[in-house]
Amino acid sequence: MEAISNEILVISSNYLDSTTSELAPYATISQRWQFVIEARTFAHIKLFSFDLPRFAAIFATPRRRALLRRLDYDLELPTYSEADIGQFETAHDHSANVYAFIVAVKHLFLLLKQWEHDASPPENDNFGRLELILRIHPPMDWGNRPAEIGFGIGFARTENRYLNLDFNGTELPRVQRVTGFSLPISVGHPLHPTAVIVLLGAMPRVSKADLGLLEPKLRMVRVRKAHRLALAQGDGVDELSRTLRVLSQRSPLVDLHLSNFVISSELFVDLRRHQAGHDTANIWPNLQRFSITSGLVAPNGKCYYTWNPADVDIEPDQQVLSSAGEHEIHMGIYDHDAEDNVFGIPDNEDVLNGESPTHEWRTRPDIEMFDPLILSMSQAVLKMPALKRLSFQIAMNMSDFTGLMLECIEAGENSIDPPDLKSELDEEVNVRRWKAWVGDATEWDIPQEIDELWRQWVGEEGKVIVGRWPSF
């Protein structure tokens, strides 16, 4: 056995069953087999927070720590009784959840920081890349508990309850090894946006991030306002956009994708320095692909779209809903589909949230809000030397065709999902392009200043293309 080279052992192990339970016995053959098998079984670990001490003991050696490439960390929240599934979460229960969240995050980051401290140079400079996936796992929430227990009141139990990270004046340890971070949306226990900012600030080398944030429902006016205030400093700065801008400029981040995101010009420019007349020539040295699906609402509560409500008709099926009196809606009388609703949530929930009846009268970009946003984005593109493609979409999911899609594409790169469904000609792909697709049911004239910036980026041989969608 000792005469067999490591290369042969690795090749042989590739023919074995890939599941950890099936591979584990082979690690007992010899120490060489152990090292080969552990290189596979320790590369991706699924870990519950309550198991962190055992995890730390297993990964006590630098060799095993270096094997870890992906950590799927399920943060376990306190359980609750079967009787509580039909009750709203109490303040005491919420405090217990927040405490469990803080402790689990802190202990994980302290452990990863200890690993970096234990690794002596030059090993510490090349300790390996780690992708961290952080999931919130409430064992008794709908979807996690046994189906026979029933639905109760579902996710309404924790509505308006967000998990915060507050370390009483101390900071979360900065971990250099984490280069990829994923935060799936937790519908039952979403993270407060400020908690996401704290997490990102503790991982300065993240080059790829997939973040899920749950926006408060429209009827939760005070909660939505509180979120905006939490993301803004006293001078009105959009803190989330500012943090993402700084992160994308100073980190090795190469891909940034923001879906249904509330953004402002702060994502592209330091507004405080810009308004004070200072230089804002910071660049994005590494960013290659940047996609944004923007919501209509800006962080300050204003909208990027406008128009005249009287000029846009309400759909006939929505007129029926609007005819129900306010008293009937609030009392739950107007509830014709309650029996057909799988989750037992009446239609008046949609009415209270502003989701029904729909009257999509905002069909035109508001030039006072929209144009400055696109101007700042166009200026930022000139400071992205590694950029291969930037895509910006707004109102693409609204009825009719009121959305816009903007895309700047490096030579040799293809457009992604163009709304007109047209393939690019070979001669177009070989040059830089700035493209704008304007929906047939809206209007937007590209300001001269923006057009000049686009032409500056594409160069003499590049193209600025403006089209309509859909194209029938």
Side-chain angles (χ1 to χ4, degrees), residues 319-339:
Q319 290 177 355
V320 175
L321 281 174
S322 353
S323 65
E326 182 179 354
H327 175 72
E328 292 177 331
I329 292 173
H330 281 277
M331 293 301 294
I333 297 173
Y334 193 77
D335 186 16
H336 61 272
D337 283 335
E339 294 181 358

Side-chain angles (χ1 to χ4, degrees), residues 58-72:
I58 293 173
F59 282 82
T61 64
R63 180 187 64 82
R64 285 185 171 179
R65 295 171 182 175
L67 296 175
L68 186 61
R69 289 293 178 266
R70 182 180 181 187
L71 180 59
D72 203 330

Side-chain angles (χ1 to χ4, degrees), residues 101-144:
F101 173 59
I102 292 174
V103 169
V105 169
K106 184 176 182 179
H107 285 179
L108 174 65
F109 275 72
L110 284 172
L111 177 63
L112 295 178
K113 188 65 177 180
Q114 184 63 45
W115 287 7
E116 294 177 4
H117 183 268
D118 292 345
S120 57
E123 182 184 3
N124 192 45
D125 295 333
N126 189 25
F127 194 61
R129 296 173 176 268
L130 177 64
E131 176 188 0
L132 175 62
I133 304 170
L134 183 65
R135 305 178 194 272
I136 309 300
H137 184 81
M140 277 295 288
D141 273 14
W142 175 252
N144 295 332

Side-chain angles (χ1 to χ4, degrees), residues 24-210:
Y26 293 95
T28 64
I29 296 176
S30 68
Q31 187 180 65
R32 293 178 64 205
W33 265 103
Q34 176 189 350
F35 289 174
V36 169
I37 296 301
E38 286 184 354
R40 294 177 60 181
T41 57
F42 287 178
H44 178 192
I45 296 296
K46 176 78 169 180
L47 174 66
F48 284 91
S49 55
F50 60 79
D51 235 359
L52 189 62
R54 190 162 71 98
F55 168 79
I58 293 173
F59 282 82
T61 64
R63 180 187 64 82
R64 285 185 171 179
R65 295 171 182 175
L67 296 175
L68 186 61
R69 289 293 178 266
R70 182 180 181 187
L71 180 59
D72 203 330
Y73 190 57
D74 274 25
L75 200 151
E76 189 90 351
L77 297 183
T79 188
Y80 50 89
S81 70
E82 184 174 336
D84 287 336
I85 67 173
Q87 306 293 326
F88 291 110
E89 183 182 73
T90 65
H92 179 270
D93 289 343
H94 178 62
S95 297
N97 286 331
V98 171
Y99 178 77
F101 173 59
I102 292 174
V103 169
V105 169
K106 184 176 182 179
H107 285 179
L108 174 65
F109 275 72
L110 284 172
L111 177 63
L112 295 178
K113 188 65 177 180
Q114 184 63 45
W115 287 7
E116 294 177 4
H117 183 268
D118 292 345
S120 57
E123 182 184 3
N124 192 45
D125 295 333
N126 189 25
F127 194 61
R129 296 173 176 268
L130 177 64
E131 176 188 0
L132 175 62
I133 304 170
L134 183 65
R135 305 178 194 272
I136 309 300
H137 184 81
M140 277 295 288
D141 273 14
W142 175 252
N144 295 332
R145 62 175 177 258
E148 59 269 18
I149 292 181
F151 181 74
I153 58 174
F155 295 122
R157 182 179 188 274
T158 53
E159 190 174 69
N160 194 16
R161 300 291 196 182
Y162 289 81
L163 298 176
N164 290 289
L165 277 178
D166 185 355
F167 298 102
N168 293 323
T170 62
E171 294 184 354
L172 198 61
R174 290 166 62 88
V175 177
Q176 303 292 329
R177 185 178 177 184
V178 178
T179 57
F181 180 53
S182 178
L183 181 68
I185 291 179
S186 173
V187 178
H189 291 82
L191 267 62
H192 195 279
T194 52
V196 179
I197 292 175
V198 171
L199 288 169
L200 287 175
M203 298 176 287
R205 292 186 59 206
V206 165
S207 61
K208 183 178 180 181
D210 184 2

